[in-house]
Amino acid sequence: MDCRPRCAACCIAPSISSPIPGMPRGKPAGVPCVQLDEALRCRLFGRPERPAVCTSLLPHEDMCGASREQAMRWLGRLEQETMPAVLRPQ
């Protein structure tokens, strides 16, 4: 599966704990990565500065669904399910 044009759900929905150029402390869930360009494409794609977690996240029907909205929901749910218990909202 190829990335959906102008989606960027995987660059917005999940938190990233490793440093990203321009975001040295990573990024919180729901915040767009500063490395997204105007077309919502990753400026670091294929570059060594790209965090390993980003490189390992590949488009798949389960994750991406049929729309950007479905991808945001799926990734948001995954974020909640994998969040450490001490950080989960009560």
Side-chain angles (χ1 to χ4, degrees):
M1 179 172 186
D2 292 328
C3 287
R4 183 178 294 111
R6 302 200 58 81
C7 178
C10 59
C11 301
I12 299 169
S15 62
I16 298 176
S17 58
S18 57
I20 302 166
M23 299 180 104
R25 295 184 180 155
K27 71 166 223 63
V31 173
C33 178
V34 298
Q35 293 300 329
L36 285 173
D37 67 14
E38 298 75 26
L40 299 179
R41 304 292 290 198
C42 179
R43 289 183 182 100
L44 299 177
F45 192 85
R47 297 181 60 180
E49 307 93 316
R50 190 171 181 221
V53 67
C54 300
T55 302
S56 69
L57 193 59
L58 302 173
H60 188 275
E61 289 178 23
D62 291 339
M63 177 178 73
C64 300
S67 67
R68 179 179 194 250
E69 292 74 24
Q70 285 182 354
M72 290 290 287
R73 281 194 302 274
W74 193 91
L75 287 161
R77 197 168 44 251
L78 181 64
E79 179 72 24
Q80 290 294 316
E81 291 173 0
T82 59
M83 182 182 296
V86 297
L87 299 177
R88 288 188 192 145
Q90 297 299 324

